[in-house]
Amino acid sequence: MAKVKRFMQGNEACAEGALYAGCNFFAGYPITPSTEIAEILGYQLPKIGGKWIQMEDEIASIAATIGGSLGGCKALTATSGPGLSLKQEGLGYAAMAEIPCVIINVMRGGPSTGYPTGPSQSDMMTAKWGTHGDHPVIALTPSTVPEILTETVRAFNLAEKYRMPVFVFYDEIVGHMREPVEIPEPGDLEIVDRAKPTCKPEDYKPYDSNFEIAPLAAYGKDGYRFHVTGLNHGDDGFPTNDSKRIDQGCRSIMAKIENNLDDILKNETVDMDDAEIVLFAYGSTARSASFAQRKAREKGIKAGLFRPLTMWPFPEKAIREAAKKAKVFIVPEMNLGQMSLEVERCAPGIEVKGINRVDGEPINPAQILECIEKYK
Amino acid sequence: MADAAKKLPRIEINEKFCKGCSICVDFCPTDVLEMKGPVVVVKDLDACTRCQLCDLRCPDFAIQVFD
Amino acid sequence: MTAEAAKKQKLSVPFDYSKYLRGGKLPHIWCPGCGHGIILKALLRAIDKIGLTNDEICMVSGIGCSSRTPGYVDFNTMHTLHGRALSYATGIKMANPDLNLIVTTGDGDALAIGGNHFIHTCRRNIDMTILVYSNSIYGMTGGQFSPTTPEGSKTSTSPYGAMEPNFDCCELAKASGATFVARATSYHVAELERTIKAAIEHKGTSVVEILDQCPIYFGRQNKYKSASHMMEMIEKDGTVSVKQVDKLPPEKLEGKLLRGILHQVEGEEYCDKYAKIIEKAQD
Ligand SMILES: Cc1ncc(C[n+]2csc(CCOP(=O)(O)OP(=O)(O)O)c2C)c(N)n1
Ligand code: SF4
Ligand code: SF4
């Protein structure tokens, strides 16, 4: 049977993906260009008995999202640059207290209020370094409307599995673009739910270090009572001053990522086997890059495309590998050079050429092709 | 019940918890308690009316009156 | 003596706090004479009178000395970020409306950094009890002025006397839409327990401002001799019960804060309203 196809906007696909993943809690605050997600879920969630609330700001939104998650829901919030800045302290809390939640950030021009209706990709480092302290980060970067749906589902799965906040970052162009999307049937995509404790209530430890990722009970639903804090804590969730346990806690939240890179990383590569000119591109920019790469090959230029769908953790190994053959990496991005710095870090001695645009206009294929041709 | 009237209450003080703030001493209506160094002690058990105010106002779960 | 031992000796047993406390966490971190412990004890007695079980309660706090309360009680507990307790609590309550939410927060936590969340939580009338431990100071960070510090008071950031006017927490709560607003003190302990009980029993947003003392920072900087001295001057002599207001001449009311239930009205509760939205959406 042919799958149902619907013509939809990126933000609509995001809401669709969230619902498919089992999202039943949303807290947010309106901000262009993400608002449609809140609007659609405000209409859809009550229909399935889900909870939806418009909070008084983004600080409250991330807080309520984390609260909803601890209440046993699959929780989502959506925002854009200025809101992402406000959410930072709460994001650190979710990372520290290991509370699953998904944060959509639809990127507009910045800094500050910037260019609300214009696209950008300038929040990539905010995802990684926004909140203080060492913390784990997973950020997914879809390029197409169908991909926004599937990557939103994957974001929920990763959040629930690894007990942490997971970002989906895409630019305003994909967020507002319309494309046909195949709507997955139940069972088509994998859905992961968080592990629940099975021990006796008196034995429950929400940060039990015998587990890589300890099961998480819900407040008032599973018969377990426990304490959660943003302070450094022991296995039982209570604050600790034990330097050994503090060290262990700080490392273990990072180890969840480091030990599971194969599960978390996801890239698309095109013609990378013999690529001398590697395009590293994500979001809508990857669409232009893909076009330019095809044109370059038609002209006999050994160009390849590396497109990360998981941007954080950074695909370090794959870039190091590509660097063995590449003579140049071209990194087009709608910012003044963010991910190009990471590519440089992983490809020492190899030229990394940024194509940067911050005028609110997309980076077009011709621009990229022109750059490729300089290196042929 | 004359007998019961004579029966003295017991005032339990947990010295590990008492922080010596003297709130119980200062507000005891019949002056039963006093500070002795860093902790509270019972000075005049006879005077205790079992009002429980020391327990109610102790911030530290350190004093209770058993009737 | 344990409660068991007391029973054996046929002594009548005073209130047994241990059933609500997490084993091994006492003594608590609060300073000698700090009023926060008095509030915690009154809260536990109130919970007992209502007959709530440990499982039915979720206690959420922000950051500050007062916000350390949840760490001591054997409920579902969450210690969140400075000022944000109400937003976390809102999420939990929405996700699980059966839980009785109690938020313990300081005057700085609730009214300065968390002021916006405070007014909007009151406006929503979501069912939770907000206990504002109001000691007129930032205790945890070492005695800076807060939005409830009386003008002229000395604090570590107002060495020449606080120049900003202070908030009336109860007026703010009422104006914002809270359907239960009360003021209590850690001096009037029996009244405190009754007020907290009434606040928890009230359906909707309940705010209780509890005047208590920080003898270490507010007390010392403002020449109070002891915790008891503060309780006497600020809590006992500085307040008047709402029940006595009509009987007292105006000059006796000057400069006093009112104590007791100041405002209680019925209003549709947020989660109940949301349940109706669900019905409407599914229609
Ligand atoms: C975002 C943020 N800013 C500042 C602080 C530092 N801080 C911790 S507690 C506190 C004040 C607490 O005062 P209050 O809420 O009145 O509670 P009290 O300690 O007096 O009980 C401050 C400013 C913080 N933890 N987080
Ligand atoms: S009130 Fe409590 S802590 Fe203070 S002196 Fe009395 S017993 Fe000790
Ligand atoms: S600093 Fe003040 S508020 Fe904090 S525990 Fe000590 S007395 Fe209490």
Side-chain angles (χ1 to χ4, degrees):
Chain A
M1 205 176 75
K3 292 251 174 351
V4 180
K5 268 197 180 182
R6 259 172 47 207
F7 204 61
M8 61 169 84
Q9 191 196 51
N11 283 340
E12 211 178 328
C14 174
E16 197 72 38
L19 293 169
Y20 186 92
C23 169
N24 54 358
F25 189 101
F26 177 92
Y29 190 80
I31 184 166
T32 306
S34 76
T35 307
E36 294 84 2
I37 302 169
E39 289 170 341
I40 295 165
L41 290 174
Y43 180 74
Q44 295 291 354
L45 277 176
K47 286 187 180 296
I48 56 161
K51 306 297 164 69
W52 184 96
I53 186 167
Q54 179 171 312
M55 296 300 287
E56 52 274 17
D57 58 31
E58 287 86 349
I59 301 174
S61 302
I62 184 69
T65 302
I66 294 168
S69 180
L70 267 168
C73 292
K74 282 193 174 179
L76 174 76
T77 184
T79 191
S80 181
L84 183 68
S85 292
L86 285 183
K87 286 185 199 292
Q88 291 305 325
E89 196 192 10
L91 290 166
Y93 186 92
M96 177 61 136
E98 302 188 60
I99 314 300
C101 56
V102 175
I103 303 94
I104 309 292
N105 183 51
V106 190
M107 288 181 281
R108 63 192 236 178
S112 186
T113 312
Y115 188 9
T117 54
S120 98
Q121 296 177 309
S122 54
D123 302 345
M124 298 315 301
M125 288 295 170
T126 311
K128 172 72 174 158
W129 302 113
T131 194
H132 61 283
D134 293 310
H135 54 277
V137 179
I138 298 179
L140 313 183
T141 45
S143 286
T144 68
V145 176
E147 236 170 48
I148 290 178
L149 189 155
T150 51
E151 289 304 289
T152 302
V153 174
R154 192 162 74 95
F156 272 97
N157 290 347
L158 291 169
E160 295 287 318
K161 188 167 178 184
Y162 296 109
R163 268 186 74 172
M164 60 177 284
V166 173
F167 296 110
V168 182
F169 269 49
Y170 53 85
D171 52 82
E172 182 274 341
I173 297 177
V174 231
H176 282 160
M177 166 189 290
R178 288 179 183 277
E179 286 186 290
V181 179
E182 208 167 75
I183 306 297
E185 303 273 332
D188 285 354
L189 304 178
E190 187 198 12
I191 302 297
V192 179
D193 293 319
R194 70 188 72 165
K196 291 274 171 197
T198 51
C199 62
K200 281 194 242 137
E202 58 272 29
D203 296 336
Y204 179 58
K205 295 198 184 85
Y207 302 91
D208 192 339
S209 39
N210 292 314
F211 292 86
E212 183 186 24
I213 295 125
L216 180 62
Y219 282 148
K221 278 184 183 154
D222 305 321
Y224 296 89
R225 292 195 299 275
F226 58 104
H227 187 62
V228 172
T229 176
L231 290 165
N232 282 102
H233 44 264
D235 282 23
D236 58 3
F238 288 95
T240 181
N241 297 324
D242 173 5
S243 59
K244 255 172 92 180
R245 187 61 181 85
I246 291 173
D247 181 81
Q248 186 201 332
C250 292
R251 290 177 194 278
S252 72
I253 55 173
M254 303 302 275
K256 293 192 287 192
I257 305 273
E258 287 148 21
N259 297 340
N260 296 286
L261 286 175
D262 287 348
D263 187 41
I264 299 168
L265 289 172
K266 184 175 168 188
N267 318 302
E268 187 200 61
T269 54
V270 183
D271 295 335
M272 281 294 292
D273 289 344
D274 62 344
E276 290 171 357
I277 299 172
V278 177
L279 298 174
F280 178 99
Y282 55 98
S284 72
T285 310
R287 304 167 71 114
S288 297
S290 164
F291 189 84
Q293 186 269 336
R294 269 203 315 277
K295 287 283 165 218
R297 280 281 166 179
E298 281 167 17
K299 294 183 179 194
I301 305 170
K302 284 187 178 169
L305 173 68
F306 188 96
R307 184 168 77 88
L309 279 136
T310 302
M311 184 62 88
W312 300 113
F314 191 71
E316 203 168 314
K317 224 171 99 187
I319 296 301
R320 288 194 196 285
E321 201 51 45
K324 287 181 185 159
K325 286 181 213 138
K327 61 177 191 200
V328 63
F329 283 87
I330 296 174
V331 186
E333 42 184 353
M334 288 183 279
N335 58 44
L336 293 177
Q338 295 193 8
M339 295 322 298
S340 57
L341 297 171
E342 278 295 292
V343 176
E344 260 174 44
R345 181 175 70 81
C346 300
I350 301 203
E351 187 180 353
V352 176
K353 175 75 189 152
I355 302 176
N356 306 103
R357 200 158 185 174
V358 288
D359 58 356
E361 296 296 327
I363 297 176
N364 57 53
Q367 234 180 321
I368 300 173
L369 191 59
E370 192 188 331
C371 183
I372 294 173
E373 284 182 324
K374 279 190 195 140
Y375 287 95
K376 75 172 178 217
Chain B
M1 280 215 301
D3 233 3
K6 256 184 240 160
K7 201 180 81 187
L8 289 178
R10 283 184 65 113
I11 301 179
E12 289 274 330
I13 293 159
N14 182 338
E15 287 179 16
K16 286 200 193 104
F17 288 2
C18 174
K19 291 177 184 156
C21 68
S22 100
I23 289 176
C24 57
V25 177
D26 299 343
F27 291 125
C28 174
T30 51
D31 213 10
V32 172
L33 307 162
E34 69 177 342
M35 296 308 299
K36 194 167 181 194
V39 289
V40 67
V41 293
V42 178
K43 175 177 73 178
D44 182 6
L45 192 57
D46 260 343
C48 179
T49 63
R50 303 159 170 83
C51 72
Q52 313 270 0
L53 276 174
C54 55
D55 174 1
L56 297 182
R57 289 211 183 93
C58 168
D60 286 277
F61 299 87
I63 188 165
Q64 291 208 296
V65 183
F66 293 78
D67 185 12
Chain C
M1 185 190 302
T2 62
E4 265 6 87
K7 259 183 206 149
K8 258 189 215 144
Q9 292 179 35
K10 296 214 171 55
L11 301 176
S12 87
V13 188
F15 187 80
D16 178 15
Y17 295 98
S18 67
K19 59 181 163 179
Y20 299 118
L21 293 171
R22 280 184 169 122
K25 301 287 173 206
L26 292 181
H28 52 59
I29 61 156
W30 295 315
C31 305
C34 175
H36 294 354
I38 306 177
I39 300 174
L40 167 58
K41 288 170 67 188
L43 169 62
L44 297 183
R45 294 192 303 272
I47 285 169
D48 189 68
K49 289 240 163 72
I50 302 170
L52 292 174
T53 66
N54 300 36
D55 280 324
E56 290 170 320
I57 302 170
C58 182
M59 188 188 279
V60 183
S61 70
I63 297 288
C65 298
S66 35
S67 290
R68 286 303 188 97
T69 308
Y72 300 110
V73 293
D74 188 15
F75 308 140
N76 304 284
T77 53
M78 189 176 191
H79 177 229
T80 69
L81 293 174
H82 193 27
R84 320 298 172 201
L86 294 172
S87 312
Y88 285 87
T90 296
I92 297 169
K93 182 71 183 175
M94 283 284 282
N96 194 349
D98 291 340
L99 280 170
N100 288 277
L101 265 295
I102 298 171
V103 175
T104 59
T105 169
D107 43 299
D109 197 59
L111 304 176
I113 190 164
N116 196 32
H117 311 309
F118 182 82
I119 60 179
H120 290 283
T121 305
C122 292
R123 179 176 63 84
R124 289 188 190 104
N125 194 34
I126 188 163
D127 187 24
M128 59 178 71
T129 302
I130 307 171
L131 304 179
V132 184
Y133 294 35
S134 192
N135 57 8
S136 305
I137 199 94
Y138 287 180
M140 181 138 270
T141 40
Q144 300 76 30
F145 67 84
S146 86
T148 57
T149 303
E151 253 182 278
S153 308
K154 294 269 171 65
T155 72
S156 73
T157 46
S158 59
Y160 304 106
M163 55 180 263
E164 297 180 9
N166 54 348
F167 256 149
D168 184 322
C169 171
C170 294
E171 289 294 338
L172 182 65
K174 184 180 165 192
S176 306
T179 47
F180 180 105
V181 180
R183 189 179 283 113
T185 82
S186 67
Y187 174 85
H188 304 91
V189 263
E191 195 178 302
L192 172 62
E193 181 186 317
R194 283 198 302 275
T195 310
I196 295 176
K197 177 172 176 281
I200 297 173
E201 283 171 336
H202 176 83
K203 182 145 190 178
T205 305
S206 310
V207 175
V208 186
E209 183 188 24
I210 306 164
L211 307 182
D212 79 334
Q213 67 283 357
C214 170
I216 303 303
Y217 293 114
F218 192 84
R220 283 187 191 162
Q221 295 183 93
N222 291 287
K223 308 265 180 292
Y224 288 96
K225 288 185 286 232
S226 63
S228 316
H229 188 216
M230 295 179 81
M231 292 167 84
E232 193 97 42
M233 303 291 290
I234 303 169
E235 301 166 28
K236 178 168 161 262
D237 297 345
T239 61
V240 168
S241 165
V242 273
K243 291 184 184 142
Q244 286 156 3
V245 173
D246 296 340
K247 297 174 207 145
L248 293 171
E251 62 271 20
K252 290 248 169 178
L253 296 174
E254 217 170 289
K256 311 257 169 167
L257 284 171
L258 286 187
R259 230 172 51 231
I261 298 171
L262 309 177
H263 171 72
Q264 185 168 18
V265 291
E266 271 185 39
E268 198 169 9
E269 193 272 332
Y270 190 84
C271 294
D272 285 353
K273 261 188 173 165
Y274 188 82
K276 286 191 187 155
I277 296 284
I278 291 182
E279 268 175 40
K280 208 170 174 179
Q282 292 179 345
D283 219 17

